[in-house]
Amino acid sequence: MGSTTGSDPLIGEPIGSHVQAVDWLMSFADFERGSGPRRAKGDFALDRIRSILRRLGNPQHGRTTIHVAGSKGKGSTAAMLESILRAAGFRTGLFTSPHLHDFAERIRILGEPLSEQEFARLAEQIRHVIEAELADDAGHISTFEILTALSFHAFHAHDVDVQIVEVGLGGRLDSTNVFSSTDAAVITSLSYEHTDILGDKITQIAAEKAGIISAGCRSVILAPQRYREATDVVLNAADDVPVPLVNVGEAYESEPAGVEPWGQWFRLRRLQPRPGEQPQAMHLLPLLGRHQIDNALTAIATIDALVASGSVAVPSEALHKGLATVRWPARLESFELPEALAANDPGGPPRVVLDGAHNAESIQRALDACREYFPHRQLHVVFGVLGDKALLDMARLIQSRSVHVYTTTSNHPRARSPQQVADAFDDSEWKGALSAHADPQLALEAAGQLAQASDLILVLGSLSLAADARRLLSDPPEAAVARRAEDPTV
């Protein structure tokens, strides 16, 4: 990505702590948080990241590589793939974006984020390379380019066997699209997003995502799609190379098979099983929502393709365990509202569900999932969005299901004010109540005072809001995740 930074990078200052590493990263252009001017198509190119990686000795090469692009579900799918391959005994590296609480979460070795000390140490190692790059070519470098280089440097330093790399934006000109070959290029569900950069037609968006397909791919995995024209674009891109493609929607079927406190069961059917593959299987998935079953099918199809090509060996037990123990917080994640934030209802405090849904389609999925997986009498919604989102469309969906909306803002520089969010709701068409609150704690307190034990509080609108709310809940985030990560099938 090319970029223009809004402040001078911290050149020449050694990095000795995690705080210093984050300060250094944030001194470059961070488009996710709005540092620098608005991105345009001309801001994206691969010359800079390729030059940085050459200076590092091209650490992106030399291991089994899975590259994941898409509009929705790419992070969840990548997390499932990492969990399965780790369960099969591989040393795994996972690069995703954005983070929930801290930058180090984006780079995971064997499922765990880099420690603060390691993050700082590796950042100091590549700082010299970044400064040498700027000295030779005094252009602009983005935070995401540096994080991409840092992830590959970390994977090389930790000698991982398999790297699962999630695209940041688009695919064709994304900073992660720097491989001479990949063992699997995965395209998850495609929808309208970042239309100012990727194009305002679904075919244009699909073409940008399909840009990760090249002659160096051993296989392409296409997740179930909503738009037939998007499917056609990806099919044609694979045919043009040509590269073998697995159309998950045609080769696999699934059926929900029950919900338990630790997740949902689903039945898998392979419609075109290869020799040695089970035609049918039952799997447990701790991530809720029908869309997560589609993501699991895509992950399974990717593993099947990797096994068939000889890239990896994954026994069925590892497939089961990897799916059953995957961790991906703030995606329909459930907590009990702390007593300090709740009214004294004899029935106890209501449940709170956090979800990072941030566009109309993902909002719809979250609302549907709450109806299916979290039975409740009335729905209370804590809602806040970032500045570039289709707020009116999201508001219409939310007011069709909720009795009270508590608008708020997150700790993100592009977050809209609570009043701006509240103004999107149409009082003339809605019988519910609306209130604006300065921060997520006040919004949760207000919801806790009105919601009864049989009600549900849903927090959604952005991953940054989900992260802010998550810090307020009684269970420490990592403790809650660790409990759920135990394999209940053993």
Side-chain angles (χ1 to χ4, degrees):
M1 295 181 188
S3 57
T4 302
T5 182
S7 60
D8 292 332
L10 303 176
I11 302 298
E13 299 183 20
I15 297 171
S17 68
H18 180 67
V19 171
Q20 289 175 318
V22 172
D23 287 344
W24 176 68
L25 282 168
M26 294 300 293
S27 71
F28 295 88
D30 181 13
F31 293 132
E32 292 172 14
R33 297 183 65 83
S35 172
R38 182 66 178 162
R39 293 165 294 178
K41 289 184 180 180
D43 290 330
F44 292 83
L46 296 176
D47 295 346
R48 175 68 88 180
I49 184 63
R50 290 188 185 279
S51 178
I52 293 170
L53 292 172
R54 280 195 297 270
R55 292 174 185 272
L56 287 169
N58 284 319
Q60 73 273 27
H61 300 323
R63 63 192 64 87
T64 300
T65 298
I66 305 170
H67 201 189
V68 185
S71 302
K72 298 189 304 297
K74 61 183 186 290
S76 298
T77 303
M80 292 177 199
L81 286 164
E82 187 281 327
S83 186
I84 293 166
L85 290 164
R86 178 162 39 89
F90 293 97
R91 286 187 60 80
T92 56
L94 175 65
F95 178 52
T96 59
S97 60
H99 58 270
L100 187 61
H101 296 299
D102 187 83
F103 272 113
E105 298 170 17
R106 301 186 184 211
I107 304 172
R108 296 175 183 261
I109 307 296
L110 288 171
E112 294 300 324
L114 293 178
S115 68
E116 291 188 354
Q117 181 180 6
E118 179 74 347
F119 189 83
R121 185 180 72 84
L122 294 173
E124 170 62 15
Q125 289 177 0
I126 73 165
R127 178 180 65 85
H128 305 286
V129 169
I130 300 302
E131 291 179 0
E133 178 74 18
L134 286 171
D136 288 350
D137 182 5
H140 305 291
I141 298 177
S142 71
T143 299
F144 187 75
E145 283 172 319
I146 297 173
L147 283 165
T148 301
L150 182 61
S151 71
F152 294 133
H153 181 60
F155 296 162
H156 176 76
H158 286 269
D159 196 24
V160 305
D161 304 315
V162 183
Q163 59 188 4
I164 304 96
V165 179
E166 179 191 357
V167 164
L169 173 64
R172 182 175 63 90
L173 295 177
D174 185 75
S175 294
T176 63
N177 196 20
V178 288
F179 305 109
S180 58
S181 64
T182 56
D183 295 88
V186 183
I187 311 291
T188 64
S189 178
L190 299 175
S191 65
Y192 290 92
E193 57 159 347
H194 301 294
T195 54
D196 56 332
I197 303 298
L198 304 180
D200 57 6
K201 297 182 175 62
I202 193 64
T203 51
Q204 294 173 315
I205 294 170
E208 291 295 323
K209 306 288 184 179
I212 68 170
I213 300 172
S214 71
C217 295
R218 300 187 71 177
S219 62
V220 177
I221 313 300
L222 179 62
Q225 299 294 324
R226 175 179 178 182
Y227 300 99
R228 179 66 214 185
E229 53 269 45
T231 298
D232 290 341
V233 167
V234 179
L235 294 177
N236 290 336
D239 285 342
D240 288 344
V241 176
V243 179
L245 181 143
V246 177
N247 189 335
V248 178
E250 294 181 353
Y252 295 78
E253 287 183 349
S254 66
E255 179 184 0
V259 180
E260 311 232 18
W262 48 78
Q264 61 178 331
W265 292 91
F266 69 93
R267 293 185 181 88
L268 163 73
R269 284 187 289 275
R270 294 179 172 90
L271 302 181
Q272 304 160 15
R274 301 179 181 93
E277 291 179 351
Q278 296 177 326
Q280 299 186 50
M282 181 87 82
H283 291 283
L284 175 64
L285 187 65
L287 305 180
L288 299 179
R290 297 292 181 97
H291 59 290
Q292 294 291 10
I293 295 177
D294 281 347
N295 293 334
L297 289 186
T298 304
I300 292 168
T302 304
I303 295 296
D304 287 351
L306 292 170
V307 170
S309 69
S311 298
V312 299
V314 179
S316 59
E317 295 81 5
L319 191 62
H320 284 278
K321 182 176 181 179
L323 288 175
T325 59
V326 65
R327 295 177 292 169
W328 203 233
R331 279 75 177 178
L332 291 175
E333 186 179 16
S334 172
F335 294 91
E336 185 175 279
L337 187 69
E339 291 185 2
L341 301 178
N344 295 320
D345 189 323
R351 300 298 298 177
V352 182
V353 172
L354 308 180
D355 195 84
H358 57 273
N359 59 33
E361 194 166 338
S362 57
I363 293 282
Q364 182 71 65
R365 286 183 171 185
L367 292 169
D368 291 344
C370 284
R371 179 178 286 173
E372 181 174 1
Y373 297 98
F374 302 98
H376 56 273
R377 185 179 65 91
Q378 292 184 326
L379 182 65
H380 298 248
V381 176
V382 175
F383 181 51
V385 301
L386 303 186
D388 59 348
K389 301 304 177 183
L391 178 54
L392 289 176
D393 292 338
M394 292 189 281
R396 290 190 195 99
L397 290 170
I398 291 170
Q399 69 183 36
S400 71
R401 299 279 187 91
S402 57
V403 297
H404 197 129
V405 174
Y406 311 80
T407 65
T408 189
T409 191
S410 64
N411 183 26
H412 192 289
R414 289 195 292 112
R416 294 199 188 190
S417 72
Q419 191 56 53
Q420 285 178 319
V421 178
D423 290 343
F425 289 83
D426 188 348
D427 294 339
S428 65
E429 298 182 2
W430 184 39
K431 304 297 184 184
L434 180 69
S435 56
H437 304 272
D439 59 54
Q441 179 169 342
L442 293 174
L444 280 171
E445 286 177 350
Q449 294 301 308
L450 294 177
Q452 299 180 8
S454 57
D455 294 341
L456 182 70
I457 300 172
L458 173 62
V459 181
L460 79 176
S462 73
L463 196 61
S464 60
L465 177 60
D468 289 350
R470 198 169 186 262
R471 295 186 184 96
L472 299 169
L473 300 175
S474 57
D475 274 335
E478 291 309 313
V481 169
R483 284 200 301 273
R484 290 190 357 188
E486 298 299 325
D487 184 358
T489 65
V490 174

